Amino acid sequence: HSKVRSLVTSYEYMFLNMFTTDDVDYAANSPAYKEFAGLTYSEDNSLVKYVWAGYYAVIEQCNILIDKLENDVNIAETYTPQMCAEARFLRAWAYFNLVQLWGDVPLVTIPVYSLTNDNVQPSRTAKERIYSQIIADLDFAQKNIPDNIGKFTSVHGNSYPFIVNKGAVTLLMAKTYQLMQMWDEVEETLVVFYDGESFNDIYGLATEFNHVYDVRYKDAAGREREVLYEIWSRSEEGLNNNCQRYIAPTVLLGLSGEPITGTSTGSQVCLPTYSLMKNYDGAKDKRYLQCFQFVNGGRPHFMKGYDVLATQY
């Protein structure tokens, strides 16, 4: 999970996914970032290289873990389907995002242990085959991951936070079937949430929209019903969210405009576009009120994404 965290909380990952849309403006002068904002980037762009390498680092670690759990006789007693299921989910997640960004990409499911003997320069694989691998991994994960997020304990008594639940697996599987245009499978997959007669009470919406992403409300009642998959990235644990530096303004304000105690080195270079903000009814829509604010001379900024408990970057 550390590789996933370093990837998704990096500004490179954020820029690659946000600047290629009409939802974010770039307000600084980095050539690599301006390329993305203007949709003129190439394979030599530093953001492309970082994110590509980040996804394959996740895949390689999952490949090693799966191989060791299933085939290494020295740790065979540690193997449990639940532990392997989480690794398969993360591998599927990485490949799903790679295909969305680049189409056909190399499919690697065997770990690289030797730079001289193993294939370290695999060719691209047709995305249809990658979709099939994603479905195979998610099918295993869906059968072996529980509904509720909790702690996983190995046979040796070691525990770690098990942050993926069956709802996250189900949604990723449904999205993959949707891209494959397998509509019956999409409907069958989503039965986990609604069987045609009743909703699954394990899942649902948090009481307040901002309870999902504002760490001050991490323990709010009912929040766990909406959170299907999360990774902590808080300064208090020494796990900084690097996106904060680029999203947050120099002065942080709470939901009602009250100052938040702490300091911020936010540069506010990622700004929500007015075309995005106009999609909401600011006077009535809680999503608007809890996602956007105007500070620093009236500039808009995203309220989501910065650490409101420990704001020192």
Side-chain angles (χ1 to χ4, degrees):
H1 295 299
S2 62
K3 285 292 183 182
V4 178
R5 180 190 294 112
S6 8
L7 177 62
V8 301
T9 60
S10 70
Y11 57 83
E12 293 94 345
Y13 177 90
M14 177 180 67
F15 288 171
L16 186 106
N17 286 279
M18 294 174 69
F19 286 163
T20 52
T21 72
D22 296 323
D23 297 337
V24 179
D25 283 331
Y26 178 58
N29 296 309
S30 167
Y33 307 160
K34 290 179 73 173
E35 283 183 7
F36 263 89
L39 300 180
T40 58
Y41 52 91
S42 69
E43 68 274 10
D44 293 324
N45 187 284
S46 61
L47 304 187
V48 173
K49 291 182 177 180
Y50 181 89
V51 175
W52 175 280
Y55 278 124
Y56 276 103
V58 172
I59 289 168
E60 176 61 12
Q61 288 199 348
C62 290
N63 287 343
I64 291 173
L65 178 58
I66 294 167
D67 180 58
K68 292 294 185 181
L69 288 174
E70 294 183 344
N71 300 311
D72 192 326
V73 294
N74 295 317
I75 61 172
E77 63 177 11
T78 305
Y79 173 82
T80 70
Q82 186 176 345
M83 185 183 293
C84 199
E86 185 173 8
R88 290 183 180 274
F89 168 81
L90 292 176
R91 183 169 69 180
W93 168 84
Y95 272 121
F96 180 88
N97 287 288
L98 280 167
V99 172
Q100 300 317 295
L101 289 168
W102 288 290
D104 298 347
V105 295
L107 176 62
V108 182
T109 58
I110 299 174
V112 173
Y113 293 122
S114 170
L115 295 179
T116 56
N117 299 325
D118 294 334
N119 183 10
V120 296
Q121 291 184 312
S123 58
R124 290 178 181 262
T125 304
K127 60 184 179 183
E128 291 77 14
R129 185 178 167 196
I130 295 175
Y131 285 145
S132 296
Q133 180 62 48
I134 292 172
I135 292 296
D137 279 343
L138 293 177
D139 182 64
F140 183 93
Q142 193 175 49
K143 293 174 180 176
N144 293 287
I145 285 180
D147 288 309
N148 294 317
I149 295 175
K151 281 186 175 292
F152 174 82
T153 302
S154 73
V155 294
H156 295 293
N158 297 319
S159 296
Y160 69 94
F162 197 74
I163 58 170
V164 181
N165 72 6
K166 188 173 293 186
V169 179
T170 299
L171 285 181
L172 186 56
M173 180 179 284
K175 289 168 69 174
T176 305
Y177 278 133
Q178 183 181 27
L179 292 172
M180 299 169 73
Q181 299 186 15
M182 299 175 65
W183 311 117
D184 290 341
E185 284 76 5
V186 172
E187 185 173 347
E188 292 172 7
T189 300
L190 294 176
V191 166
V192 169
F193 300 107
Y194 178 69
D195 61 10
E197 296 182 358
S198 60
F199 290 96
N200 188 337
D201 290 336
I202 292 174
Y203 307 104
L205 300 180
T207 305
E208 293 292 335
F209 178 65
N210 64 322
H211 287 184
V212 176
Y213 58 84
D214 189 332
V215 294
R216 291 176 294 180
Y217 303 102
K218 182 170 178 59
D219 297 322
R223 178 183 180 274
E224 72 282 354
R225 298 177 66 233
E226 185 166 349
V227 176
L228 305 180
Y229 172 36
E230 70 176 343
I231 294 179
W232 283 32
S233 184
R234 297 201 307 178
S235 298
E236 287 185 333
E237 285 81 31
L239 304 169
N240 287 329
N241 181 347
N242 295 333
C243 297
Q244 173 173 312
R245 181 178 179 184
Y246 295 90
I247 291 178
T250 53
V251 176
L252 300 180
L253 302 177
L255 184 58
S256 302
E258 74 280 6
I260 294 176
T261 302
T263 58
S264 171
T265 56
S267 55
Q268 202 180 359
V269 299
C270 295
L271 306 179
T273 61
Y274 285 98
S275 61
L276 169 65
M277 298 171 70
K278 286 197 294 190
N279 289 325
Y280 301 86
D281 185 341
K284 300 177 181 178
D285 196 323
K286 286 186 177 181
R287 295 172 301 169
Y288 177 89
L289 296 173
Q290 297 176 357
C291 286
F292 307 109
Q293 251 180 11
F294 293 88
V295 294
N296 291 7
R299 297 175 76 189
H301 85 281
F302 294 102
M303 292 180 67
K304 296 170 62 176
Y306 57 75
D307 187 341
V308 295
L309 287 182
T311 55
Q312 180 66 53
Y313 175 75

